Amino acid sequence: MAEAHFVQPPPAVQRPLQAAEGRPRPLLSLTDGIAIVIGIVIGSAIFETPALVAANAGSAGNVVFVWILGGVISIMGALCYAELASAYPHTGGDYHYLDRAYGKNVAFLFAWARMTVIQTGSIALIAFVFGDYASQIFRLGPYSASIYAGSAVVLLTLGHLVGVQLSVNGQRWLTAAQIGGLLLLVGAGWLFASGTPAPAEAMRPMSASSFGLAMVFVLLSYGGWNEAAYVSGELRKPKKNIVRVLILSILIIASFYVVLNLVLLQRLGIEGMAGSEAVGADLMRLVAGESGAVMVSLLVVACALASINAMIFTGARTSYAMGRDFLLFSRVGRWRRGGSVPVNALLLQASIILFLVLFGAVRRKGFETMVDYTAPVFWLFFLLTTISLIVLRRKDPTPRPFRVPFYPVTPVLFALTCAYLLYSSIMYTGVGSFIGLGMVISGIPILLICRRREARNAK
């Protein structure tokens, strides 16, 4: 284990806090874990990215290839996370792995980045999509999307504050609505769409830039499966079930994505997909005319709510873990026994998200800004977490119930993929990427304050 750089609160402080506040309990089943991961991953991005992928892929064969490749890459990453999460089941997820591999300095910066950029920005991003599509059903005025976005964050956070059981039960229903809606979309498009099916097209060579952009959009759609690490500390039989959650979730998600793109290619063709502003709506217009657009809006609303709810659940867990380790954030590290929830972490997270929603409302480019803001920071720490697997293999003899197949090839290949996407997210996005990286750097003075306070309390 890495040597901690901070002095923990003395036992006399820790024991009463644990007794009063409780600790995470294994209340989540295998089904709950799968529902949370699917709810995060199958969000609104899949209704935007197929057109962007098709525009860069250039042929139907290439479209199918890159979506399958995205699933393979995600499974490689999931195998790495399965070893980490089964060896070190912990509510803090990546925070805990980075702590063990590199020490609390890096772990703190990750928790700071996740609290201010990665998770909160991602939730705000999906909340804006929810607001946009909800406004298509019933508009609330000039700031309709932002009102819907903020309301969703507030109401879903309140549900989590009631207790973990209410939040996971809600997640089951929302995930069921996601899967049911996607099955309806795929089935209706395949069986009932009018018009002549588009002819199949063979694979064509892609330029390096086109392939790179296509993969950025594909992996954006697959992003979020790593959130399973944050429920490992609350799963029943975590050492066994975390592996099942990761692998089964990605197999289900990849199957949906490939089949959906096959249906879109069959009915719209590669040119129709590439030129579409809303591929799901265009597909449903072939089934039910203009009323199909309302059906797609309802489906996107359900998917967005499922993603927001699941990300609220996992996001607060990192802040809680940080609060357990740093006195400056000790209030965030309190776990309420009644309901089994990190109540202060949930409240802090909601406050930051609402600030980002307000910022997006002022800018009127909330979705694009949040994509730029989060992407490079996400891939930076994804890369460090993947490398932590190699570091911990060498320095920590902890038994591993699951070991990555073909080690070290699998983690090295996935680390190279993360490095490539980090480069792409900086080179091909806007100024928002530098703002996100700047927020990470702003955590350094906070870290120094924590160090001084911990040192002073140790005397």
Side-chain angles (χ1 to χ4, degrees):
M1 184 188 298
E3 181 182 354
H5 296 290
F6 292 86
V7 178
Q8 295 291 331
V13 175
Q14 285 189 336
R15 281 196 292 268
L17 179 63
Q18 293 172 8
E21 301 296 336
R23 301 283 286 178
R25 291 180 287 155
L27 301 177
L28 304 182
S29 67
L30 174 65
T31 303
D32 294 329
I34 292 173
I36 288 171
V37 174
I38 292 176
I40 290 172
V41 177
I42 304 182
S44 54
I46 190 57
F47 298 96
E48 302 286 343
T49 54
L52 300 170
V53 172
N56 285 282
S59 71
N62 289 343
V63 168
V64 176
F65 170 73
V66 295
W67 282 103
I68 293 175
L69 180 60
V72 171
I73 291 172
S74 297
I75 288 176
M76 289 171 53
L79 292 172
C80 297
Y81 266 74
E83 176 171 325
L84 288 167
S86 62
Y88 313 106
H90 193 277
T91 304
D94 298 51
Y95 173 87
H96 186 59
Y97 316 145
L98 294 170
D99 179 10
R100 296 182 76 104
Y102 312 115
K104 292 209 183 310
N105 287 348
V106 175
F108 175 88
L109 289 177
F110 168 75
W112 173 262
R114 185 170 166 84
M115 183 173 66
T116 59
V117 180
I118 301 172
Q119 194 74 358
T120 48
S122 297
I123 295 172
L125 184 153
I126 301 299
F128 275 117
V129 176
F130 164 76
D132 287 337
Y133 277 86
S135 298
Q136 298 299 314
I137 302 169
F138 186 81
R139 191 162 185 83
L140 298 176
Y143 293 97
S144 179
S146 300
I147 293 171
Y148 273 118
S151 299
V153 171
V154 170
L155 291 175
L156 290 174
T157 299
L158 288 175
H160 284 272
L161 290 171
V162 171
V164 67
Q165 204 57 55
L166 176 64
S167 62
V168 297
N169 286 340
Q171 189 62 42
R172 290 175 189 169
W173 286 105
L174 288 169
T175 302
Q178 277 183 306
I179 295 174
L182 284 170
L183 286 173
L184 175 64
L185 179 65
V186 170
W190 193 280
L191 297 174
F192 303 114
S194 60
T196 305
E201 300 176 67
M203 291 181 64
R204 300 176 189 168
M206 282 189 286
S207 68
S209 60
S210 294
F211 173 75
L213 283 172
M215 289 308 301
V216 166
F217 294 127
V218 165
L219 290 172
L220 172 66
S221 301
Y222 277 104
W225 51 261
N226 59 301
E227 298 293 300
Y230 299 96
V231 303
S232 61
E234 295 171 75
L235 271 177
R236 300 169 195 153
K237 301 178 181 177
K239 295 180 183 295
K240 179 188 297 184
N241 280 339
I242 190 62
V243 180
R244 296 175 178 175
V245 167
L246 282 162
I247 302 302
L248 291 175
S249 298
I250 293 176
L251 288 175
I252 292 169
I253 292 160
S255 299
F256 270 127
Y257 284 179
V258 172
V259 171
L260 175 60
N261 277 273
L262 285 172
V263 172
L264 291 169
L265 288 166
Q266 176 79 358
R267 294 305 179 187
L268 301 179
I270 186 71
E271 292 185 1
M273 286 180 66
S276 174
E277 295 184 357
V279 289
D282 288 343
L283 178 63
M284 289 305 294
R285 282 191 182 94
L286 297 176
V287 176
E290 288 302 320
S291 61
V294 176
M295 296 172 61
V296 170
S297 294
L298 289 170
L299 174 58
V300 175
V301 163
C303 289
L305 284 174
S307 293
I308 296 167
N309 189 65
M311 286 193 289
I312 287 173
F313 182 96
T314 58
R317 268 64 185 170
T318 309
S319 300
Y320 160 80
M322 180 177 68
R324 300 296 300 183
D325 287 341
F326 298 97
L327 285 176
L328 186 64
F329 295 92
S330 60
R331 290 183 179 273
V332 182
R334 295 182 179 178
W335 193 278
R336 193 183 68 201
R337 181 174 295 175
S340 188
V341 291
V343 57
N344 290 342
L346 285 165
L347 291 172
L348 175 62
Q349 176 178 257
S351 300
I352 296 171
I353 298 167
L354 290 174
F355 174 80
L356 292 174
V357 169
L358 179 62
F359 177 67
V362 173
R363 290 289 302 273
R364 296 305 302 162
K365 289 185 177 181
F367 183 87
E368 295 89 344
T369 301
M370 290 302 109
V371 170
D372 294 348
Y373 183 63
T374 58
V377 181
F378 172 81
W379 288 111
L380 169 63
F381 285 103
F382 221 164
L383 172 62
L384 290 176
T385 303
T386 305
I387 297 173
S388 76
L389 170 64
I390 300 172
V391 173
L392 290 170
R393 275 278 191 112
R394 297 175 66 89
K395 68 188 295 187
D396 189 352
T398 297
R400 284 159 169 74
F402 176 83
R403 286 179 172 265
V404 175
F406 310 112
Y407 180 90
V409 175
T410 302
V412 168
L413 286 176
F414 188 67
L416 290 173
T417 301
C418 293
Y420 170 73
L421 288 165
L422 170 61
Y423 168 80
S424 298
S425 62
I426 294 173
M427 295 300 295
Y428 301 126
T429 56
V431 69
S433 63
F434 296 100
I435 297 175
L437 291 170
M439 280 302 301
V440 178
I441 295 171
S442 74
I444 294 176
I446 306 296
L447 177 61
L448 295 175
I449 293 172
C450 287
R451 294 188 67 168
R452 291 195 186 100
R453 178 168 293 192
E454 297 289 347
R456 191 164 54 247
N457 279 274
K459 293 180 180 178

